[in-house]
Structure formats: C-alpha cells, structure tokens
Amino acid sequence: MTIRGKAITFGDNVDTDVILPGPYLVHTDPKELAKHAMEGLDPTFTKRVGDGAIVVGGKNFGCGSSREQAPLALKYARVRCVIAESFARIFYRNSITIGLPVLACPGVSGKVETGDLLVVDLGAGRVEDSSKGLVFQATQLPDFIMEILDDGGLIEHLKRRIGSK
Amino acid sequence: MNIIEKILARASSKREVSPGEIVEASIDVAMIHDLTGPLAIKSFREIGAKKVWNNKRTVVILDHIVPASSVRSATLHKIVRNFVEEHNIKNFYDVGLGGVCHQIMPEKGHVRPGETIVGADSHTCTYGAFGAFATGIGSTEMAAVFVTGKLWFRVPEVIKVNVTGSFQKLVTAKDLTLNVVGKIGADGAIYKGIEFGGSTIRNMSIDGRMVLCNMAVEMGGKAGIIEPDEKTLDYVKGRTDKAFNPVKSDPDATYERVLDIDISELEPQVSVPHSVDNVKPVSEVEDVEVDQAFIGSCTNGRLEDLRSAAWVLKGKKIAKGVRLLVIPASQEIYLNALNEGLIKTFMKAGATIGNPNCGPCLGGHMGLLAEEEVCISSSNRNFVGRMGSTKSYVYLASPATVAASAVTGKITDPRRLMEEA
C-alpha cells in the first residue's frame, strides 16, 4: 500500500482531547466528528488537509483518552496516514482498528516540515520526503495488522474472515 | 514472572509468557460507558453479531454526561439502555444507581485480583490497585470482545516503582502519583506496565492505591498494578461472592527497570499546564490565582479525598470570586459523606455539590472553563481545552491542595493554610 500526501506537522504529546475535544463526543456521525478534527490545536486543520494529507507528529502521539472518535475524526477529515516518533498505545490500536494507517518512525519529527510531499510504502515501512530527498525507516507493521489495514479496518476484516469461512 | 506476566499467562492458558510476546487473552470483565458505549454498540451491530459473549461479564455504566445535558447525550443514554435490555445485561448502572465507572467497578464487586479486565475508557488501569490486569481499549475492539470474549495483547515490559517512607501531614497519594508521573514522564511507560510496591504502598489505603494505578495511563502505561494483600482481599470479599485466585510477582521476577522513591521529604505536588508530567512542588506555583476548584473524578472523588478536603475546609469560607465544585465519585460515597457531615462542611464553605459523575474533568458538561480562566483540579489531565476553552488553564493537585487553594483564591500549600489557622 503506497500513500502520498503533503505533510502537516505537530509536536510531542498530541493528546486525544485536542484531536477531538470532549464536547463533540456526543456526535455519532464520523463526518460530523471530522469537522472538529484537531480543533484543540488548529481550528483551520480540516481546511489545510483539503482532499488529503499526512499528519506527522512527535513523541507519544494520541496520548490521553481512549476515545476511538479521535482517529475516526482524522480519518474522515481525509488524513491518509499518521507518522510519529512514537504513539500512545490505545490510539495506535484504535487507528488500526478503524483503518487509519499509523507508522512509528523515529527521526521523522523535526526533519519533515509542513508542506513536504511524502511517499509512504506502508508494507515496507519506508517513508520518503521527496521535497527534501530524505528517506526514513519506520517500524514495520506485522502481517496481521497489514491485513486489517488492507481490509479497511477490523470490522471489514472480521466480516471478510467470517464470510470466507 | 511478575504479576502482569502471571495474569496474562493464565488468561491465555500458557505456562509462561515473556515481554514482547503476543497473546490472546480471555476477558473476565468488559465495561462500557455512555460516551464509548454507543460506538461499541454500533460496531457490534456492523459486525453482524447477535449476542454478547457473556451478559454476566459485561458491565454498563452511565457516568460521563449524567444526567443528560442535551438531546444528543440523552440519545446516547437511550442507545445504551436499549442495548442493555436487548442483551439482558444485569450489571447496568443507570443515572442515580452508580457513579464514576472506575469507582463503581470495584465498589459493586466487578473487580477481582488475578482477573483480566478491559474497559472502553483509558482509566480502566485503576483496577490494578486490586491486583487485576486492567487496561483501556477502543470502542470497536470492545465490540470484538463482546463477540468473542477475547483480545490480543502484547505482554508488556514492566517498570517497578518501589516506594518507602511515611507521608508528611496533608501530603497524599495524589502527590506521590504526580511525583511519579513527573519522574517517568508522559511517554516514559508507553506500552509498559507499572508495578507499585514497597512499604509505603503496603501502608496505603485502597483509595490511595487507586490514585496511583489510575494515573498509570498518564505515563503512557498499559496498566498500573499492586500486589494484592490482606487489605485488598478484605475489600474485594466484602463486595463479591465470586471466587477468585490472586497472584503475586515471584521473588526473582524481572523488570525493565526499578525506580526507588523515598517520600519522607515529599511536599504537595502540582502538575502545571498543559502537560501532566510538568510537575512542580506547590511552593513554586503558589502565586497562581484560580477561578475554579474541582474535587472529584475517577482519580480523587473517593471518601478519603472528601475527608481530607473537608478537614481543610472545616469552618472556613472559599475566597470571593472562586467556584468550588465537589462531586463524589459514587452514590455510596455521597451517602457516606452526607452521614459523616462532610457535605455540610462543603456547603457551609460555599461549595457546589454535584451528583456522582465525571463532571467537568473531561469538559463534557458542568463547570466548564471560559477563556483565560484557571482551574485547580483533583482530576487527571491538564491538556489544552480539557475542561473547556482551549485558552483556559488546568493545574492538577490533591484534594487537600485544591481545598486550600479554594480558600485563599491562589494555589496554596494546605499545610501552610492549616498552620496559619
């Protein structure tokens, strides 16, 4: 799976309260959640994503609350992938579960800048910043996680597995 | 093996497990609430499942926006109630029957030593205080647990925190907890377990132990845990009839690292905006003026917390221009606080008392902050916008420090206030 897009960068410890602020948790429609993605840090975020972008974060991306609404908001705001130095574990699992690709990529923060064009080979864990001519090696995702992402998330994956039995 | 390895080995029917290994564990108890439950229910239906794997091991608690503050939150409650009825879930705590989920789970006997427990809430790690392996998961993973009763885990590396020494007067479990968060850092325990031990922990009450394990997630931890002892067994046996099988770490158990802390000289601690690990001794932030003070939440809304706050507030009034909100974590705690006269003390001091629920901790309803307002809170997170406006400020402290600050209108060392009185 190859993902391309412009980078939008953030710092360390981006928590799920800024990714999707608490008051919006009463919404159940992911499109409504998407309108408020990253509102705690940048109210213009969804406009900046446009028809697709790659979020690049620092350490401990997605820390805090277990709200699955946080990665859902990013996915439906057309974030194609999140790359970070490291991830908080519940956000990491939730992202895979809902089919938002996430890659832990030490060294990426501070090098990649907002607006850089990124090419991500998800299976190989290879991140290329083609604006700067830099290549980063991310932690590769195991096969069973790649299968979930290829199916578009855990629900589709379970349905396919049940259906193929 | 350490206690977490032993529990995960048992849950996955293995003789032994080691850090890094992926295991599929059988889940003993699964919990959802009003904000993560509806999404779990939606995913459960999308998977096409008809029945929860075990309606006696499923616990449903309304606590985040309770009672409903809007038609939208009322609708979420309704979705949850319908699910409870459809699946005949016995362990359901509706408005007025429970309180904050992480208090209700142990209080109503749903947490037992040696068990593997998942909750669709990050502070599920609180139940480690009872020697259970407990961790927060997302809604759709919870739907998968509802279908299969199982979930995969990576066996975590474990950090051992050894605590010795006695607390000074008005220095509490929360101060120790914030101190540990400051030392380990907000990402210092990502994917890891944290086992708390040592003489201080042995001497600590159940309420205090719950504060430590509750905030394991604020260091990125997968679980906080404390070996069960007589105190644990007394508490648990008083609340459940079900058999359980406690485990402890082996004497030769391995840890990723050991952190030794002596609390003899520890002063009250404050976590400064906007990061939980930005921890300072109270003496360094005493000039900060506050608009609101909050005592409550899954971290510090228990009887011991209310007692220490009431002790500080007894016979005093809160400062002009300050709002003090007190929210007991459960109906049982509320009733005990009433019987002990604590609620009267709070009201005479000028506090507003709320019904048991999460309250302003997550900025959902009740006591949100306006731009430029400052709150000192006994809760667990001081992220940007956590309790209201993205331009507001949250300082985290113990209930005693929150109470003292409400009296003076500035962040205050409770020991200083009590000396002056």
Side-chain angles (χ1 to χ4, degrees), chain A residues 13 15-18 21-23 25-30 32-33 39-41 59-61 63-69 72 86-90 92-94 97-98 104 144-145 148 154-156 158-159 162, chain B residues 22 35-36 38-39 42-43 46-47 65 70 72-73 76 79 120-122 135-141 144 151-154 186-187 190-191 217-218 220-222 275 277 362-364 368 381 383-384 386 390:
Chain A
N13 300 320
D15 61 73
T16 53
D17 273 271
V18 293
L25 293 174
V26 293
H27 293 289
T28 47
D29 180 1
E32 189 60 37
L33 298 172
E39 200 174 282
L41 282 182
K59 289 188 294 181
N60 202 21
F61 192 94
C63 60
S65 152
S66 69
R67 60 190 67 165
E68 193 171 296
Q69 290 92 334
L72 267 179
S86 63
F87 287 91
R89 58 168 284 279
I90 308 178
Y92 186 78
R93 285 183 77 132
N94 280 344
T97 296
I98 61 124
F144 80 100
I145 287 179
I148 294 172
L154 185 64
I155 293 175
E156 293 307 315
L158 286 176
K159 277 202 229 165
I162 293 165
Chain B
I22 306 270
L35 286 188
T36 56
L39 198 50
K42 187 172 168 233
S43 295
E46 279 176 26
I47 295 167
I65 304 183
S70 65
R72 281 194 191 283
S73 52
L76 297 183
I79 290 168
D121 190 277
S122 60
T135 194
I137 64 172
S139 294
T140 298
E141 286 209 299
L151 194 65
W152 68 268
F153 295 105
R154 181 184 170 279
D187 67 338
I190 293 185
Y191 307 119
V217 68
E218 309 312 333
K222 179 180 223 155
S275 180
D277 60 355
L362 75 152
L368 271 68
R381 286 181 181 142
F383 302 155
V384 171
R386 171 76 179 179
T390 53

Side-chain angles (χ1 to χ4, degrees), chain B residues 102-169:
Chain B
H102 304 309
Q103 177 59 26
I104 296 310
M105 286 287 286
E107 193 179 287
K108 301 293 186 186
H110 302 303
V111 174
R112 285 163 291 265
E115 291 190 338
T116 299
I117 302 174
V118 292
D121 190 277
S122 60
H123 291 110
T124 300
C125 53
T126 310
Y127 322 145
F130 302 90
F133 172 78
T135 194
I137 64 172
S139 294
T140 298
E141 286 209 299
M142 184 56 83
V145 171
F146 282 173
V147 176
T148 63
K150 289 183 179 346
L151 194 65
W152 68 268
F153 295 105
R154 181 184 170 279
V155 178
E157 290 81 9
V158 178
I159 299 172
K160 177 85 186 274
V161 180
N162 243 328
V163 192
T164 51
S166 303
F167 285 109
Q168 291 181 31
K169 209 170 187 182

Side-chain angles (χ1 to χ4, degrees), chain A residues 134-157:
Chain A
L134 296 170
V135 175
F136 304 92
Q137 183 60 48
T139 309
Q140 257 177 290
L141 295 167
D143 289 344
F144 80 100
I145 287 179
M146 280 304 297
E147 277 181 35
I148 294 172
L149 289 174
D150 282 338
D151 287 339
L154 185 64
I155 293 175
E156 293 307 315
H157 182 67

Side-chain angles (χ1 to χ4, degrees), chain B residues 228-246:
Chain B
D229 60 8
E230 284 307 312
K231 269 183 209 167
T232 324
L233 300 185
D234 281 352
Y235 182 99
V236 175
K237 281 178 183 165
R239 292 171 188 272
T240 183
D241 296 330
K242 275 194 197 153
F244 57 91
N245 192 357

Side-chain angles (χ1 to χ4, degrees), chain A residues 59-124:
Chain A
K59 289 188 294 181
N60 202 21
F61 192 94
C63 60
S65 152
S66 69
R67 60 190 67 165
E68 193 171 296
Q69 290 92 334
L72 267 179
L74 293 178
K75 183 183 173 182
Y76 281 82
R78 301 185 182 182
V79 170
R80 293 174 184 158
C81 177
V82 182
I83 302 168
E85 294 286 319
S86 63
F87 287 91
R89 58 168 284 279
I90 308 178
F91 179 90
Y92 186 78
R93 285 183 77 132
N94 280 344
S95 298
I96 292 158
T97 296
I98 61 124
L100 173 68
V102 278
L103 271 184
C105 188
V108 76
S109 179
K111 299 259 173 55
V112 173
E113 288 176 293
T114 293
D116 288 1
L117 183 67
L118 301 183
V119 182
V120 181
D121 181 337
L122 205 58

